[in-house]
Amino acid sequence: MTDRKILNQASLTKEVYLILALLNSGNPDETARKHPQLFTEVNWDLFVELNRQHRVYPYLYSRLSKMEEKAVPSEVLEQLKWQYRRNTVQMLQLSGEMSNIAGQLAELNIRCLFLKGPVLGQELYGDLSQRTSRDLDFLVPIEQLEDAETLLIRLGYEKEDKFESLLGDWKWREHHSTFVHPVSNVNLELHWRLGPGPAKEPAFDELWRHSRTSSTFGQNVRYLGPEDLFMFLAVHGARHAWSRLRWLQDIKMLLMGQQPPDSAKLIQLLQRYNHNAIGGQTLILARELLETPVDPALSPLLDNPKARRLAQDILFYLPRIVNLNTPPLEPEVEQHFNRYLPSILSPRNRMLRSASFLYPYAADAKTLPLPKPLHFLYFPLRPLLWSWRKVTGAEKEM
């Protein structure tokens, strides 16, 4: 593995450079004294917006608030302080609800793994207030999904997603359902897969064997083992074009934490599930943007030419205020993302994705309703029904 820089960072704005410098600084006062130019001619309103966009404001505020140098305007610190306090309250609320749900599921003998949220704030950062979280994500075995949904409804949650499904395709086309509590406004994502199909991923039993118990929240709160957590965070971040630096900060904290992934096991895991390029992209970004030490044993991942191309693509998004999950997107962003998203797939996963379009959609049943015993006919009819909708301008499939 070469130490030569891979990324061309010329497209990054001064505000992004400052955020990166502060994320990487053990002493912000020293950074301000050694590199005063970083704090001049900064668009401070944009700096605050980018902190919110990248969800790194709690981590940065806890450091900026202790600065003796007056390099950051007081009104900027006030805005960050307000966001920091609001996030702390929200994380405490989510922590309480996470423990409650974990206990309720345990009483029903429903295994669950918490994927993100307060458990990562505590286990990776050592302080749940240092990380933001909008909701609670947890994974259950698909055979216990119905029981878990019943429990959440009994606890007052309302299911928001209404999947239109045909021949059980929701089991692999989708990967979670969203629930919201009308009183507390807590949002939950109940997963039966780590991510959308048809890509292959570890079975729940395998994830459970490798999982860990939270040292803070008790035996009912379990989360992914180091290698599985790295792969989950890497694939999630790549799928969202790493448009939030917090996801990359999670990777840094994982790699530099007390229980980092075992390099040999991690390489084997990424190879097994065709995520070598995504793993390499993740490590390149973490090393060059967040100055994360990378084990030389992981050199094959960083030296992957596709990983290098994918890492460079990400710099397009970092200076932008964008939510890739909320259309409409600016035409330039939409065009770039539509090119980027297929490029992260391995040849095998790209083939599976293409083949999945031959599997019947709910839209096929709307176009040509058939009795349930004849639903198997949607397989040979699928190309004809799809073509008919395109020709007639019928509503697009979701």
PDB file of all heavy atoms in Angstrom, residues 26-51:
ATOM      1  N   GLY A  26      -6.816  17.109  17.444  1.00  0.00           N
ATOM      2  CA  GLY A  26      -6.921  16.771  18.855  1.00  0.00           C
ATOM      3  C   GLY A  26      -6.997  18.009  19.717  1.00  0.00           C
ATOM      4  O   GLY A  26      -7.440  17.966  20.860  1.00  0.00           O
ATOM      5  N   ASN A  27      -6.552  19.155  19.153  1.00  0.00           N
ATOM      6  CA  ASN A  27      -6.526  20.422  19.890  1.00  0.00           C
ATOM      7  C   ASN A  27      -6.914  21.554  18.940  1.00  0.00           C
ATOM      8  O   ASN A  27      -6.063  22.057  18.200  1.00  0.00           O
ATOM      9  CB  ASN A  27      -5.137  20.665  20.478  1.00  0.00           C
ATOM     10  CG  ASN A  27      -5.081  21.882  21.365  1.00  0.00           C
ATOM     11  OD1 ASN A  27      -5.886  22.800  21.247  1.00  0.00           O
ATOM     12  ND2 ASN A  27      -4.110  21.909  22.274  1.00  0.00           N
ATOM     13  N   PRO A  28      -8.182  21.971  18.925  1.00  0.00           N
ATOM     14  CA  PRO A  28      -8.615  23.038  18.009  1.00  0.00           C
ATOM     15  C   PRO A  28      -7.850  24.346  18.200  1.00  0.00           C
ATOM     16  O   PRO A  28      -7.627  25.079  17.225  1.00  0.00           O
ATOM     17  CB  PRO A  28     -10.098  23.215  18.341  1.00  0.00           C
ATOM     18  CG  PRO A  28     -10.513  21.912  18.928  1.00  0.00           C
ATOM     19  CD  PRO A  28      -9.312  21.418  19.683  1.00  0.00           C
ATOM     20  N   ASP A  29      -7.432  24.655  19.441  1.00  0.00           N
ATOM     21  CA  ASP A  29      -6.652  25.875  19.664  1.00  0.00           C
ATOM     22  C   ASP A  29      -5.333  25.826  18.912  1.00  0.00           C
ATOM     23  O   ASP A  29      -4.906  26.814  18.296  1.00  0.00           O
ATOM     24  CB  ASP A  29      -6.382  26.068  21.161  1.00  0.00           C
ATOM     25  CG  ASP A  29      -7.576  26.670  21.881  1.00  0.00           C
ATOM     26  OD1 ASP A  29      -8.085  27.696  21.402  1.00  0.00           O
ATOM     27  OD2 ASP A  29      -7.999  26.103  22.895  1.00  0.00           O
ATOM     28  N   GLU A  30      -4.693  24.670  18.951  1.00  0.00           N
ATOM     29  CA  GLU A  30      -3.428  24.513  18.231  1.00  0.00           C
ATOM     30  C   GLU A  30      -3.644  24.627  16.732  1.00  0.00           C
ATOM     31  O   GLU A  30      -2.839  25.223  16.011  1.00  0.00           O
ATOM     32  CB  GLU A  30      -2.803  23.161  18.589  1.00  0.00           C
ATOM     33  CG  GLU A  30      -1.423  22.940  17.988  1.00  0.00           C
ATOM     34  CD  GLU A  30      -0.804  21.627  18.431  1.00  0.00           C
ATOM     35  OE1 GLU A  30      -1.340  21.005  19.374  1.00  0.00           O
ATOM     36  OE2 GLU A  30       0.203  21.221  17.822  1.00  0.00           O
ATOM     37  N   THR A  31      -4.753  24.056  16.253  1.00  0.00           N
ATOM     38  CA  THR A  31      -5.085  24.176  14.829  1.00  0.00           C
ATOM     39  C   THR A  31      -5.269  25.640  14.442  1.00  0.00           C
ATOM     40  O   THR A  31      -4.785  26.087  13.396  1.00  0.00           O
ATOM     41  CB  THR A  31      -6.365  23.388  14.512  1.00  0.00           C
ATOM     42  OG1 THR A  31      -6.170  22.019  14.830  1.00  0.00           O
ATOM     43  CG2 THR A  31      -6.749  23.510  13.033  1.00  0.00           C
ATOM     44  N   ALA A  32      -5.962  26.408  15.277  1.00  0.00           N
ATOM     45  CA  ALA A  32      -6.200  27.825  14.989  1.00  0.00           C
ATOM     46  C   ALA A  32      -4.902  28.619  14.995  1.00  0.00           C
ATOM     47  O   ALA A  32      -4.734  29.558  14.191  1.00  0.00           O
ATOM     48  CB  ALA A  32      -7.178  28.402  16.000  1.00  0.00           C
ATOM     49  N   ARG A  33      -3.961  28.260  15.884  1.00  0.00           N
ATOM     50  CA  ARG A  33      -2.691  28.992  15.947  1.00  0.00           C
ATOM     51  C   ARG A  33      -1.767  28.633  14.784  1.00  0.00           C
ATOM     52  O   ARG A  33      -1.110  29.497  14.207  1.00  0.00           O
ATOM     53  CB  ARG A  33      -1.990  28.706  17.287  1.00  0.00           C
ATOM     54  CG  ARG A  33      -2.644  29.400  18.483  1.00  0.00           C
ATOM     55  CD  ARG A  33      -1.768  29.300  19.717  1.00  0.00           C
ATOM     56  NE  ARG A  33      -1.712  27.936  20.227  1.00  0.00           N
ATOM     57  CZ  ARG A  33      -2.550  27.456  21.149  1.00  0.00           C
ATOM     58  NH1 ARG A  33      -3.508  28.233  21.641  1.00  0.00           N
ATOM     59  NH2 ARG A  33      -2.429  26.216  21.584  1.00  0.00           N
ATOM     60  N   LYS A  34      -1.745  27.353  14.421  1.00  0.00           N
ATOM     61  CA  LYS A  34      -0.843  26.908  13.357  1.00  0.00           C
ATOM     62  C   LYS A  34      -1.395  27.191  11.967  1.00  0.00           C
ATOM     63  O   LYS A  34      -0.637  27.400  11.007  1.00  0.00           O
ATOM     64  CB  LYS A  34      -0.560  25.405  13.502  1.00  0.00           C
ATOM     65  CG  LYS A  34       0.341  25.053  14.669  1.00  0.00           C
ATOM     66  CD  LYS A  34       0.679  23.571  14.641  1.00  0.00           C
ATOM     67  CE  LYS A  34       1.659  23.208  15.742  1.00  0.00           C
ATOM     68  NZ  LYS A  34       1.993  21.743  15.723  1.00  0.00           N
ATOM     69  N   HIS A  35      -2.733  27.170  11.841  1.00  0.00           N
ATOM     70  CA  HIS A  35      -3.339  27.346  10.517  1.00  0.00           C
ATOM     71  C   HIS A  35      -4.447  28.398  10.578  1.00  0.00           C
ATOM     72  O   HIS A  35      -5.626  28.103  10.339  1.00  0.00           O
ATOM     73  CB  HIS A  35      -3.914  26.015  10.012  1.00  0.00           C
ATOM     74  CG  HIS A  35      -2.930  24.888  10.024  1.00  0.00           C
ATOM     75  ND1 HIS A  35      -1.928  24.769   9.075  1.00  0.00           N
ATOM     76  CD2 HIS A  35      -2.774  23.828  10.877  1.00  0.00           C
ATOM     77  CE1 HIS A  35      -1.215  23.682   9.332  1.00  0.00           C
ATOM     78  NE2 HIS A  35      -1.698  23.101  10.409  1.00  0.00           N
ATOM     79  N   PRO A  36      -4.107  29.645  10.897  1.00  0.00           N
ATOM     80  CA  PRO A  36      -5.133  30.689  11.024  1.00  0.00           C
ATOM     81  C   PRO A  36      -5.886  30.940   9.723  1.00  0.00           C
ATOM     82  O   PRO A  36      -7.027  31.400   9.741  1.00  0.00           O
ATOM     83  CB  PRO A  36      -4.323  31.916  11.450  1.00  0.00           C
ATOM     84  CG  PRO A  36      -2.925  31.641  10.993  1.00  0.00           C
ATOM     85  CD  PRO A  36      -2.746  30.164  11.129  1.00  0.00           C
ATOM     86  N   GLN A  37      -5.254  30.605   8.588  1.00  0.00           N
ATOM     87  CA  GLN A  37      -5.910  30.831   7.300  1.00  0.00           C
ATOM     88  C   GLN A  37      -7.170  29.991   7.133  1.00  0.00           C
ATOM     89  O   GLN A  37      -8.062  30.340   6.346  1.00  0.00           O
ATOM     90  CB  GLN A  37      -4.934  30.552   6.140  1.00  0.00           C
ATOM     91  CG  GLN A  37      -4.616  29.087   5.885  1.00  0.00           C
ATOM     92  CD  GLN A  37      -3.555  28.510   6.842  1.00  0.00           C
ATOM     93  OE1 GLN A  37      -3.103  29.207   7.756  1.00  0.00           O
ATOM     94  NE2 GLN A  37      -3.173  27.265   6.616  1.00  0.00           N
ATOM     95  N   LEU A  38      -7.251  28.885   7.868  1.00  0.00           N
ATOM     96  CA  LEU A  38      -8.453  28.039   7.774  1.00  0.00           C
ATOM     97  C   LEU A  38      -9.691  28.768   8.295  1.00  0.00           C
ATOM     98  O   LEU A  38     -10.817  28.433   7.905  1.00  0.00           O
ATOM     99  CB  LEU A  38      -8.253  26.750   8.568  1.00  0.00           C
ATOM    100  CG  LEU A  38      -7.299  25.705   8.001  1.00  0.00           C
ATOM    101  CD1 LEU A  38      -7.112  24.558   8.998  1.00  0.00           C
ATOM    102  CD2 LEU A  38      -7.823  25.153   6.685  1.00  0.00           C
ATOM    103  N   PHE A  39      -9.485  29.755   9.177  1.00  0.00           N
ATOM    104  CA  PHE A  39     -10.609  30.412   9.840  1.00  0.00           C
ATOM    105  C   PHE A  39     -10.924  31.779   9.230  1.00  0.00           C
ATOM    106  O   PHE A  39     -11.755  32.509   9.760  1.00  0.00           O
ATOM    107  CB  PHE A  39     -10.300  30.567  11.331  1.00  0.00           C
ATOM    108  CG  PHE A  39     -10.160  29.258  12.065  1.00  0.00           C
ATOM    109  CD1 PHE A  39      -8.953  28.567  12.060  1.00  0.00           C
ATOM    110  CD2 PHE A  39     -11.242  28.707  12.743  1.00  0.00           C
ATOM    111  CE1 PHE A  39      -8.817  27.360  12.733  1.00  0.00           C
ATOM    112  CE2 PHE A  39     -11.117  27.500  13.415  1.00  0.00           C
ATOM    113  CZ  PHE A  39      -9.910  26.823  13.404  1.00  0.00           C
ATOM    114  N   THR A  40     -10.260  32.124   8.143  1.00  0.00           N
ATOM    115  CA  THR A  40     -10.510  33.410   7.492  1.00  0.00           C
ATOM    116  C   THR A  40     -11.312  33.203   6.214  1.00  0.00           C
ATOM    117  O   THR A  40     -11.219  32.157   5.562  1.00  0.00           O
ATOM    118  CB  THR A  40      -9.183  34.114   7.152  1.00  0.00           C
ATOM    119  OG1 THR A  40      -8.411  33.286   6.272  1.00  0.00           O
ATOM    120  CG2 THR A  40      -8.377  34.386   8.424  1.00  0.00           C
ATOM    121  N   GLU A  41     -12.118  34.215   5.899  1.00  0.00           N
ATOM    122  CA  GLU A  41     -12.950  34.201   4.683  1.00  0.00           C
ATOM    123  C   GLU A  41     -13.850  32.965   4.629  1.00  0.00           C
ATOM    124  O   GLU A  41     -14.084  32.393   3.562  1.00  0.00           O
ATOM    125  CB  GLU A  41     -12.074  34.277   3.426  1.00  0.00           C
ATOM    126  CG  GLU A  41     -11.245  35.553   3.351  1.00  0.00           C
ATOM    127  CD  GLU A  41     -10.405  35.622   2.091  1.00  0.00           C
ATOM    128  OE1 GLU A  41     -10.556  34.719   1.226  1.00  0.00           O
ATOM    129  OE2 GLU A  41      -9.614  36.560   1.962  1.00  0.00           O
ATOM    130  N   VAL A  42     -14.338  32.561   5.790  1.00  0.00           N
ATOM    131  CA  VAL A  42     -15.251  31.423   5.876  1.00  0.00           C
ATOM    132  C   VAL A  42     -16.689  31.936   5.829  1.00  0.00           C
ATOM    133  O   VAL A  42     -17.031  32.926   6.482  1.00  0.00           O
ATOM    134  CB  VAL A  42     -15.027  30.632   7.189  1.00  0.00           C
ATOM    135  CG1 VAL A  42     -16.081  29.533   7.352  1.00  0.00           C
ATOM    136  CG2 VAL A  42     -13.627  30.043   7.211  1.00  0.00           C
ATOM    137  N   ASN A  43     -17.515  31.294   5.045  1.00  0.00           N
ATOM    138  CA  ASN A  43     -18.951  31.572   5.061  1.00  0.00           C
ATOM    139  C   ASN A  43     -19.522  30.823   6.266  1.00  0.00           C
ATOM    140  O   ASN A  43     -19.806  29.625   6.191  1.00  0.00           O
ATOM    141  CB  ASN A  43     -19.598  31.097   3.760  1.00  0.00           C
ATOM    142  CG  ASN A  43     -21.078  31.402   3.695  1.00  0.00           C
ATOM    143  OD1 ASN A  43     -21.753  31.497   4.720  1.00  0.00           O
ATOM    144  ND2 ASN A  43     -21.606  31.555   2.486  1.00  0.00           N
ATOM    145  N   TRP A  44     -19.691  31.538   7.386  1.00  0.00           N
ATOM    146  CA  TRP A  44     -20.051  30.870   8.628  1.00  0.00           C
ATOM    147  C   TRP A  44     -21.474  30.327   8.611  1.00  0.00           C
ATOM    148  O   TRP A  44     -21.767  29.312   9.253  1.00  0.00           O
ATOM    149  CB  TRP A  44     -19.837  31.809   9.820  1.00  0.00           C
ATOM    150  CG  TRP A  44     -18.387  32.062  10.065  1.00  0.00           C
ATOM    151  CD1 TRP A  44     -17.684  33.214   9.826  1.00  0.00           C
ATOM    152  CD2 TRP A  44     -17.428  31.130  10.577  1.00  0.00           C
ATOM    153  NE1 TRP A  44     -16.365  33.063  10.149  1.00  0.00           N
ATOM    154  CE2 TRP A  44     -16.173  31.791  10.622  1.00  0.00           C
ATOM    155  CE3 TRP A  44     -17.496  29.806  11.013  1.00  0.00           C
ATOM    156  CZ2 TRP A  44     -15.009  31.182  11.089  1.00  0.00           C
ATOM    157  CZ3 TRP A  44     -16.346  29.191  11.477  1.00  0.00           C
ATOM    158  CH2 TRP A  44     -15.122  29.862  11.512  1.00  0.00           C
ATOM    159  N   ASP A  45     -22.360  30.976   7.875  1.00  0.00           N
ATOM    160  CA  ASP A  45     -23.718  30.425   7.746  1.00  0.00           C
ATOM    161  C   ASP A  45     -23.672  29.075   7.040  1.00  0.00           C
ATOM    162  O   ASP A  45     -24.360  28.120   7.435  1.00  0.00           O
ATOM    163  CB  ASP A  45     -24.612  31.395   6.963  1.00  0.00           C
ATOM    164  CG  ASP A  45     -24.962  32.636   7.759  1.00  0.00           C
ATOM    165  OD1 ASP A  45     -24.894  32.581   9.002  1.00  0.00           O
ATOM    166  OD2 ASP A  45     -25.285  33.670   7.137  1.00  0.00           O
ATOM    167  N   LEU A  46     -22.856  28.996   5.981  1.00  0.00           N
ATOM    168  CA  LEU A  46     -22.699  27.730   5.264  1.00  0.00           C
ATOM    169  C   LEU A  46     -22.000  26.696   6.141  1.00  0.00           C
ATOM    170  O   LEU A  46     -22.339  25.503   6.105  1.00  0.00           O
ATOM    171  CB  LEU A  46     -21.913  27.958   3.967  1.00  0.00           C
ATOM    172  CG  LEU A  46     -21.667  26.729   3.094  1.00  0.00           C
ATOM    173  CD1 LEU A  46     -22.981  26.052   2.699  1.00  0.00           C
ATOM    174  CD2 LEU A  46     -20.869  27.113   1.844  1.00  0.00           C
ATOM    175  N   PHE A  47     -21.052  27.133   6.949  1.00  0.00           N
ATOM    176  CA  PHE A  47     -20.360  26.241   7.872  1.00  0.00           C
ATOM    177  C   PHE A  47     -21.359  25.569   8.817  1.00  0.00           C
ATOM    178  O   PHE A  47     -21.308  24.356   9.048  1.00  0.00           O
ATOM    179  CB  PHE A  47     -19.315  27.036   8.660  1.00  0.00           C
ATOM    180  CG  PHE A  47     -18.611  26.261   9.735  1.00  0.00           C
ATOM    181  CD1 PHE A  47     -17.549  25.429   9.432  1.00  0.00           C
ATOM    182  CD2 PHE A  47     -19.006  26.386  11.074  1.00  0.00           C
ATOM    183  CE1 PHE A  47     -16.887  24.709  10.435  1.00  0.00           C
ATOM    184  CE2 PHE A  47     -18.352  25.674  12.077  1.00  0.00           C
ATOM    185  CZ  PHE A  47     -17.292  24.840  11.751  1.00  0.00           C
ATOM    186  N   VAL A  48     -22.289  26.360   9.361  1.00  0.00           N
ATOM    187  CA  VAL A  48     -23.312  25.806  10.252  1.00  0.00           C
ATOM    188  C   VAL A  48     -24.218  24.845   9.503  1.00  0.00           C
ATOM    189  O   VAL A  48     -24.546  23.759  10.002  1.00  0.00           O
ATOM    190  CB  VAL A  48     -24.132  26.949  10.889  1.00  0.00           C
ATOM    191  CG1 VAL A  48     -25.332  26.382  11.654  1.00  0.00           C
ATOM    192  CG2 VAL A  48     -23.265  27.779  11.824  1.00  0.00           C
ATOM    193  N   GLU A  49     -24.617  25.226   8.286  1.00  0.00           N
ATOM    194  CA  GLU A  49     -25.486  24.362   7.480  1.00  0.00           C
ATOM    195  C   GLU A  49     -24.795  23.043   7.151  1.00  0.00           C
ATOM    196  O   GLU A  49     -25.410  21.977   7.179  1.00  0.00           O
ATOM    197  CB  GLU A  49     -25.905  25.077   6.194  1.00  0.00           C
ATOM    198  CG  GLU A  49     -27.009  26.087   6.373  1.00  0.00           C
ATOM    199  CD  GLU A  49     -28.298  25.438   6.860  1.00  0.00           C
ATOM    200  OE1 GLU A  49     -28.737  24.448   6.246  1.00  0.00           O
ATOM    201  OE2 GLU A  49     -28.825  25.894   7.886  1.00  0.00           O
ATOM    202  N   LEU A  50     -23.512  23.102   6.825  1.00  0.00           N
ATOM    203  CA  LEU A  50     -22.778  21.879   6.498  1.00  0.00           C
ATOM    204  C   LEU A  50     -22.594  20.998   7.730  1.00  0.00           C
ATOM    205  O   LEU A  50     -22.593  19.772   7.627  1.00  0.00           O
ATOM    206  CB  LEU A  50     -21.419  22.230   5.884  1.00  0.00           C
ATOM    207  CG  LEU A  50     -21.463  22.709   4.428  1.00  0.00           C
ATOM    208  CD1 LEU A  50     -20.118  23.285   4.013  1.00  0.00           C
ATOM    209  CD2 LEU A  50     -21.848  21.562   3.494  1.00  0.00           C
ATOM    210  N   ASN A  51     -22.451  21.614   8.894  1.00  0.00           N
ATOM    211  CA  ASN A  51     -22.401  20.826  10.124  1.00  0.00           C
ATOM    212  C   ASN A  51     -23.693  20.066  10.337  1.00  0.00           C
ATOM    213  O   ASN A  51     -23.692  18.911  10.758  1.00  0.00           O
ATOM    214  CB  ASN A  51     -22.129  21.738  11.329  1.00  0.00           C
ATOM    215  CG  ASN A  51     -20.668  21.798  11.697  1.00  0.00           C
ATOM    216  OD1 ASN A  51     -20.161  20.939  12.393  1.00  0.00           O
ATOM    217  ND2 ASN A  51     -19.992  22.823  11.207  1.00  0.00           N
TER     218      ASN A  51
END
